[in-house]
Amino acid sequence: MFALKKLYDQPGLWWTDDAPIPAVGPRDVLVAVTHAGICGTDRHIYEWDAWSRNRVHLGTTTGHEFVGRVVQVGEAVTRTRVGQRVSAEGHVGCGRCRACRTGNGHICEQVEILGIDRDGCFAQYVAVPEDNIWPIDARIPDHVAAVFDPLGNAMHTVMAAGVSGKSVLITGVGIIGLMAVTVARAAGAARIFACDVDRRRLEIARCLGADETYHAADEDWPDRVRHATHQRGADVLLEMSGHPRAIQQGFSSLAGGGVAALLGLPSDRVVLDLANDIIFKGATVLGINGRRMFETWYQVEDFVLSGRLDLAPIITHQLELHEFQKGFQLMQSGEAIKVVLAIPQESLSSCPTPASTTAAVSCSLL
Amino acid sequence: MFALKKLYDQPGLWWTDDAPIPAVGPRDVLVAVTHAGICGTDRHIYEWDAWSRNRVHLGTTTGHEFVGRVVQVGEAVTRTRVGQRVSAEGHVGCGRCRACRTGNGHICEQVEILGIDRDGCFAQYVAVPEDNIWPIDARIPDHVAAVFDPLGNAMHTVMAAGVSGKSVLITGVGIIGLMAVTVARAAGAARIFACDVDRRRLEIARCLGADETYHAADEDWPDRVRHATHQRGADVLLEMSGHPRAIQQGFSSLAGGGVAALLGLPSDRVVLDLANDIIFKGATVLGINGRRMFETWYQVEDFVLSGRLDLAPIITHQLELHEFQKGFQLMQSGEAIKVVLAIPQESLSSCPTPASTTAAVSCSLL
Amino acid sequence: MFALKKLYDQPGLWWTDDAPIPAVGPRDVLVAVTHAGICGTDRHIYEWDAWSRNRVHLGTTTGHEFVGRVVQVGEAVTRTRVGQRVSAEGHVGCGRCRACRTGNGHICEQVEILGIDRDGCFAQYVAVPEDNIWPIDARIPDHVAAVFDPLGNAMHTVMAAGVSGKSVLITGVGIIGLMAVTVARAAGAARIFACDVDRRRLEIARCLGADETYHAADEDWPDRVRHATHQRGADVLLEMSGHPRAIQQGFSSLAGGGVAALLGLPSDRVVLDLANDIIFKGATVLGINGRRMFETWYQVEDFVLSGRLDLAPIITHQLELHEFQKGFQLMQSGEAIKVVLAIPQESLSSCPTPASTTAAVSCSLL
Amino acid sequence: MFALKKLYDQPGLWWTDDAPIPAVGPRDVLVAVTHAGICGTDRHIYEWDAWSRNRVHLGTTTGHEFVGRVVQVGEAVTRTRVGQRVSAEGHVGCGRCRACRTGNGHICEQVEILGIDRDGCFAQYVAVPEDNIWPIDARIPDHVAAVFDPLGNAMHTVMAAGVSGKSVLITGVGIIGLMAVTVARAAGAARIFACDVDRRRLEIARCLGADETYHAADEDWPDRVRHATHQRGADVLLEMSGHPRAIQQGFSSLAGGGVAALLGLPSDRVVLDLANDIIFKGATVLGINGRRMFETWYQVEDFVLSGRLDLAPIITHQLELHEFQKGFQLMQSGEAIKVVLAIPQESLSSCPTPASTTAAVSCSLL
């Protein structure tokens, strides 16, 4: 099959036409990918930064946001059928630790992530454990289904913090930050403030419902948050930049008794004024990672079906998989927010003959 | 001063022109009432039902929803000034019990309620403890400020249950039920279902954002809730009718793991199928009474100022206080939802000389 | 293999020596049972009451509390190995509903319960899905491991209600009620009150740490709860009797703002004073069913290993499985609280040859 | 009256015999102090460190932990009577901000703290607003009542984090850390680990119920926490040292999904590994300040009365007020943990004639 792989120890991803079809264990499901989103993490791997050089093995197929059709199921699979349209949770937990056994597999210490620690979805086929499969409701279009994973990050952050009737500050409105704007709006935020270094993204944030936006270069923006909130500060901080300065200013903008949900990953350690920013304020800080399995997925589905989310300004480009170079470049230039790559239907024209580990193989195409 | 009092042991309220101006203790505030809402409770007292005959002493001035201007403050009052536009929490707690001392004065066992247990606001002046005073933001119109109390009931119910991203069933869309529709919509409910015996109210509910409405005479409406929710039932039940059948059907419409918030007061004991409706479902049931002091009041202010509430279809009539008979009749006929009574400004033309218990009296009119 | 089955439409259970060894699907585990507890539910089936006549099919093997050794695993089993000492969660969820996929399989609407809806553990072997398996820590004795299931009911109730620093009223101190006394004590309850119809159980409750106990025939016991709590009532009610009068008196003994966790199953509908017992009090009522998968199991393990639970006065009798008649009679007479039945080791002396649905069978004995 | 004041810009406190008796406003209460605790904060003021030089005005009477008898009440005081034995919450909120009006006065931004921002309790008399008064139950001895304030810090931390059934790591077992050990034990912690730089305190921690203790000089102690918890780390971190290294090691010892409650105040900003210590772990961090008004006070009373706290090893010394120099020296040498200073009864032998701001003065002595 074809696949986009990290083959060499240098920036880039490489198209290969002769990747082996992934093995399908008894509890696994093989999915023919029809649409896949490019994540900021994929871009890190593409650009081959320090983090990805340390984490990703050469030869790995990249990509973890997708929708597709089930073409094969392992013989112990019971709830998934060939032909189903599905996405999947990309965090594959160990299944035996306390986190995994209490519905918190997103914080499993042995977690393997699709497209990072195991072969991902920028490919003709991807194999995932049935436990990770999420059936997609027929009313949801493909390009939206393809981004349930990052939408889930935004949803998990917003719902963990609790925004109903609250003033909400979002620091960093990249892909997930912008998704958080529309989710927070739908979830009942009273007011939304957004900060970023990119003016176009701030425009999109306003279009999605942000009441006030601040350019990060305006050093006084925390004062404007205070001005807008009777000097209290924002009830909720959704930190989605990972930038130390944004984190510090975000905390200084937080109201007494406020909640800060941290999703953005700093590339290094961060200096915090714990006494003034957290302790005296009686603040609550939540570390946010992945998505809750599968509470967050249900919430994403419910909100998408309710029609209250606006994803159009976020999914700016839809390309075909072979145009991936262009996709990454559009992201790098800032022209694109979210790029969804489609895999043409003809690629699904014949039944694959995968290197299965199991004898009994079901296979059909819809 | 003038006041509307329950003078006789029979249906009705009586206008009196020579009521004494309420005494103002050192911690009290005297408010010249400018607008007051008629509550369903006031109607019970007007109609003199069994409950009100047992609870209300003859001679009591009725009414507890209002806005007005402070005209006098006791000498130990520190945070309120003459001339301020204010409303007030009508539950006057004992101030010394555990409920009162932990921010839960709404469930104080010795609570005295304005217009029920002590003289209320259908009058030229009303006296309340400063601790109960709520300053009204200048941007909020009088007829809205006058209904912060019932809006607070709706708000407390919605926020206690938590509706963000949830499917919400509201049984009984009288005044507070309709308010709950617009609050739940603003607070991020994914979908709203409403049930009532009155088709006009159901129309208003739809206008305020209910996705589906059911007439209570349609015995199968719980099936329609299930149909609309993949057979799960509603995530949240807001019970605002107090009617046994609605309570029972509401519980049977509740999803596994759901939350039921009970505000409506049944007039008698209710038969419940605890095993199937609560225990097997792992449901959470919340008794809702009054408003949280003053978390709920802040939430009401925040939501009103956010512009996300629609109260216009609910506050159907504005009359003058002396038209109170008409107001009650409009409610009884079902023509009115919420009636707000205004007290003409000329009644505020001269400084009152109240029978104060304190020497130092400040007095001014704006 | 041998098994205790409900063979006839009349009171009793019947020993059979030629029951087929349960089929083991690819995701299933076969366990040689070494110890099993008799549950109140088993007694209902033994006595063949209205509930069990409606629910249980003739031919079913009874029993759902057990510990044993794994003797065979299906070929898709990955986390369980032959020889492990294990117990298992008896609620087998459908695995695909929202409850199951969000860690709430205990309230799955299609749940099948071991020993009720499918063959149980009063037998030489029992088959359960690997997802339900709970490995038993080597430090925990067999007779304690055998009762993790009911201990989990008590734990789930206590932890859901939250007893740390609270005054706790337990209505009904049968097996689970007594377990709740020792769990609540260990979990930090400030004071514990217990009510029952049986004086001996009340003695055991005191021995386990109840501060005050009341005989249900003393109609004034709710006054004694109020007397012991500055007239406030108990902060927490753990309802474990299912008896309408106890439920009503329990609610009337609950403090304002209190939490009532309902585990006991009423045999019929119950009349409640919703206004006074729940609404005016601002009470929270929690329906409790089964155990959380697997948060509750971890809590049970942690508490048992901490040495802070006292189960000795509760597990009053240990018999052999063939003495089951005696076990039920001891429960009926009130002489026994919890009876654990042991299955002699010789029954494990040879490798079973089960009617497996799968080819690859591992089998060994420890 | 006599008082201990910070008179000069140098280390020390000075006894003065001619301090004016504090003015008593209409809502205030004057208390004749009988016992007062020395807090770590008092020691900072005594030693005149950077923080206290910045915050405390010369002339201020120090001390904020006390018990005494009410000798005078302002004329608007309604719930407190002369002769009552009382303590008081030392955080005097503004009463009008959102924090104050929602039961969160402990995080009021304008808070004035007794003995820091206004005259405190190391004196014959102290004046506090009636709203801050806490009546002391007759069964509680004076030296215990005198330390309700720090015990409340420990209680608020433990109860906010939630320790029931959890493994709990306490970094820093000074006065409040040791109180947290006995509170966590009583509140149902499954296991308690404590770390400190002082071996004697670690001994006391073990005596109070800590299961394992670590000397901070042993750099590997976080490994020992992991070893003791199946490599998971502690479920709960109670940070009570304010020391950067302890904070960092505490976070690295925290389990996935764990809760860290931060009470200790770092003297400077702290470098944190947000990604690994909070975000990937899905941790919750709580800033803890003061005590909840008055939920925490009720909890302290309930736990003290339950007999489940052991304060004897913590209140190591009881001296008379004039021996304050010795008290501070005992703390500095590490010989004392908590020192309680008594004020001899003869000092209460005559009625004070305070410089009251109000006319009507009640005065009596018990």
Side-chain angles (χ1 to χ4, degrees), chain C residues 277-318:
Chain C
D277 287 342
I278 298 181
I279 299 174
F280 286 133
K281 272 184 183 169
T284 298
V285 183
L286 306 172
I288 304 290
N289 185 14
R291 294 145 300 277
R292 289 186 62 84
M293 302 169 198
F294 281 86
E295 187 61 25
T296 307
W297 290 80
Y298 282 102
Q299 292 167 336
V300 168
E301 181 180 280
D302 287 348
F303 270 108
V304 166
L305 290 178
S306 78
R308 294 181 207 288
L309 298 186
D310 183 5
L311 299 172
I314 299 172
I315 305 175
T316 51
H317 292 75
Q318 297 192 51

Side-chain angles (χ1 to χ4, degrees), chain B residues 26-27 75-79 94-98 101-102 130-135 293-295 298 302, chain D residues 26-27 75-79 94-98 101-102 130-135 293-295 298 302:
Chain B
R27 291 171 176 244
E75 75 263 36
V77 163
T78 57
R79 306 183 304 260
C94 73
R96 69 181 74 200
C97 73
R98 185 162 185 161
R101 296 209 81 186
T102 56
E130 183 191 20
D131 284 351
N132 284 54
I133 287 291
W134 181 259
M293 302 170 197
F294 281 84
E295 185 60 26
Y298 282 101
D302 287 347
Chain D
R27 291 171 175 245
E75 75 264 36
V77 163
T78 56
R79 306 183 305 261
C94 73
R96 68 181 74 202
C97 72
R98 186 161 183 160
R101 296 208 82 187
T102 57
E130 182 190 20
D131 283 352
N132 284 52
I133 287 291
W134 181 260
M293 301 169 198
F294 282 86
E295 187 60 25
Y298 282 102
D302 286 348

Side-chain angles (χ1 to χ4, degrees), chain D residues 14-358:
Chain D
W14 290 266
W15 181 282
T16 171
D17 270 320
D18 56 357
I21 291 176
V24 177
R27 291 171 175 245
D28 291 340
V29 167
L30 188 71
V31 181
V33 181
T34 59
H35 301 76
I38 304 182
C39 176
T41 304
D42 301 326
R43 185 177 152 192
H44 287 306
I45 298 171
Y46 180 85
E47 296 176 348
W48 209 225
D49 68 359
W51 168 83
S52 52
R53 286 195 306 272
N54 274 322
R55 173 82 174 256
V56 178
H57 293 283
L58 293 183
T60 304
T61 301
T62 304
H64 55 272
E65 309 172 358
F66 72 98
V67 63
R69 291 280 179 182
V70 174
V71 291
Q72 183 191 351
V73 299
E75 75 264 36
V77 163
T78 56
R79 306 183 305 261
T80 309
R81 57 172 213 289
V82 169
Q84 260 190 304
R85 194 168 66 125
V86 301
S87 182
E89 167 58 47
H91 282 58
V92 180
C94 73
R96 68 181 74 202
C97 72
R98 186 161 183 160
C100 283
R101 296 208 82 187
T102 57
N104 295 291
H106 58 298
I107 53 171
C108 168
E109 289 194 19
Q110 267 74 48
V111 74
E112 286 191 356
I113 302 180
L114 223 60
I116 295 173
D117 307 306
R118 48 188 288 163
D119 282 337
C121 68
F122 288 166
Q124 200 164 359
Y125 302 105
V126 63
V128 291
E130 182 190 20
D131 283 352
N132 284 52
I133 287 291
W134 181 260
I136 293 291
D137 188 286
R139 291 164 287 178
I140 297 171
D142 284 325
H143 67 287
V144 172
V147 299
F148 262 40
D149 174 296
L151 194 49
N153 291 124
M155 184 66 67
H156 180 19
T157 314
V158 168
M159 299 306 274
V163 300
S164 209
K166 303 284 182 70
S167 56
V168 177
L169 168 64
I170 303 175
T171 44
V173 284
I175 299 168
I176 297 179
L178 287 172
M179 286 173 166
V181 174
T182 187
V183 171
R185 181 86 295 154
R191 273 186 306 165
I192 299 175
F193 315 118
C195 177
D196 202 288
V197 295
D198 183 312
R199 293 194 192 283
R200 178 162 165 257
R201 288 182 194 158
L202 292 174
E203 269 173 47
I204 299 175
R206 276 194 298 276
C207 153
L208 293 171
D211 297 282
E212 295 195 12
T213 58
Y214 316 115
H215 194 278
D218 167 12
E219 277 293 302
D220 296 335
W221 67 262
D223 292 343
R224 295 175 58 197
V225 174
R226 293 206 153 251
H227 179 75
T229 55
H230 302 285
Q231 300 304 320
R232 291 186 62 242
D235 296 320
V236 170
L237 166 65
L238 308 179
E239 208 304 300
M240 300 192 149
S241 73
H243 195 283
R245 184 83 184 122
I247 295 172
Q248 289 153 355
Q249 290 187 307
F251 270 111
S252 77
S253 307
L254 186 65
V259 175
L262 309 183
L263 178 83
L265 287 172
S267 56
D268 201 350
R269 309 211 302 172
V270 177
V271 178
L272 285 185
D273 183 352
L274 291 180
N276 287 307
D277 286 344
I278 298 181
I279 299 174
F280 286 134
K281 273 185 181 167
T284 298
V285 184
L286 306 172
I288 304 291
N289 185 13
R291 295 145 298 277
R292 288 186 63 82
M293 301 169 198
F294 282 86
E295 187 60 25
T296 308
W297 290 80
Y298 282 102
Q299 292 166 338
V300 168
E301 181 179 281
D302 286 348
F303 270 108
V304 166
L305 289 178
S306 78
R308 295 183 205 288
L309 299 185
D310 183 5
L311 299 172
I314 299 172
I315 305 175
T316 51
H317 292 76
Q318 298 192 52
L319 305 173
E320 298 214 349
L321 182 62
H322 62 81
E323 301 173 286
F324 68 97
Q325 302 277 20
K326 182 176 167 196
F328 281 104
Q329 285 153 12
L330 285 164
M331 284 178 73
Q332 288 171 322
S333 72
E335 190 178 335
I337 305 292
K338 171 60 80 181
V339 176
V340 171
L341 302 170
I343 299 182
Q345 290 297 317
E346 50 272 62
S347 69
L348 298 175
S349 62
S350 66
C351 177
T353 54
S356 171
T357 62
T358 65

Side-chain angles (χ1 to χ4, degrees), chain B residues 26-231:
Chain B
R27 291 171 176 244
D28 291 340
V29 168
L30 188 70
V31 181
V33 182
T34 60
H35 301 77
I38 305 181
C39 177
T41 305
D42 302 326
R43 185 176 153 194
H44 287 306
I45 298 172
Y46 180 86
E47 296 177 346
W48 208 226
D49 67 1
W51 169 83
S52 51
R53 285 196 306 271
N54 274 323
R55 173 83 175 256
V56 178
H57 292 284
L58 293 183
T60 305
T61 301
T62 305
H64 55 273
E65 309 171 358
F66 72 98
V67 64
R69 293 279 178 182
V70 174
V71 291
Q72 184 191 349
V73 298
E75 75 263 36
V77 163
T78 57
R79 306 183 304 260
T80 309
R81 59 175 210 287
V82 168
Q84 259 190 305
R85 193 168 66 125
V86 301
S87 182
E89 167 59 49
H91 282 59
V92 180
C94 73
R96 69 181 74 200
C97 73
R98 185 162 185 161
C100 282
R101 296 209 81 186
T102 56
N104 294 292
H106 58 297
I107 52 170
C108 167
E109 289 195 19
Q110 267 75 46
V111 73
E112 286 192 355
I113 302 180
L114 223 60
I116 295 174
D117 306 306
R118 48 189 285 163
D119 281 338
C121 68
F122 288 167
Q124 202 165 354
Y125 302 104
V126 65
V128 291
E130 183 191 20
D131 284 351
N132 284 54
I133 287 291
W134 181 259
I136 293 291
D137 187 285
R139 292 164 286 179
I140 297 171
D142 285 326
H143 66 287
V144 172
V147 299
F148 262 41
D149 174 296
L151 195 48
N153 291 124
M155 184 66 67
H156 180 21
T157 314
V158 168
M159 300 306 275
V163 301
S164 211
K166 303 286 180 70
S167 57
V168 178
L169 168 64
I170 304 175
T171 45
V173 282
I175 299 168
I176 297 177
L178 286 172
M179 287 172 164
V181 174
T182 188
V183 170
R185 180 84 296 150
R191 275 186 305 165
I192 299 175
F193 314 117
C195 177
D196 202 287
V197 295
D198 182 313
R199 293 195 191 281
R200 179 165 162 252
R201 288 182 193 159
L202 292 174
E203 269 172 47
I204 299 175
R206 277 193 299 275
C207 154
L208 293 171
D211 297 281
E212 294 194 12
T213 59
Y214 317 114
H215 195 279
D218 167 11
E219 278 292 303
D220 296 335
W221 67 262
D223 292 343
R224 295 175 59 196
V225 174
R226 293 207 152 249
H227 178 75
T229 54
H230 302 283
Q231 299 305 320

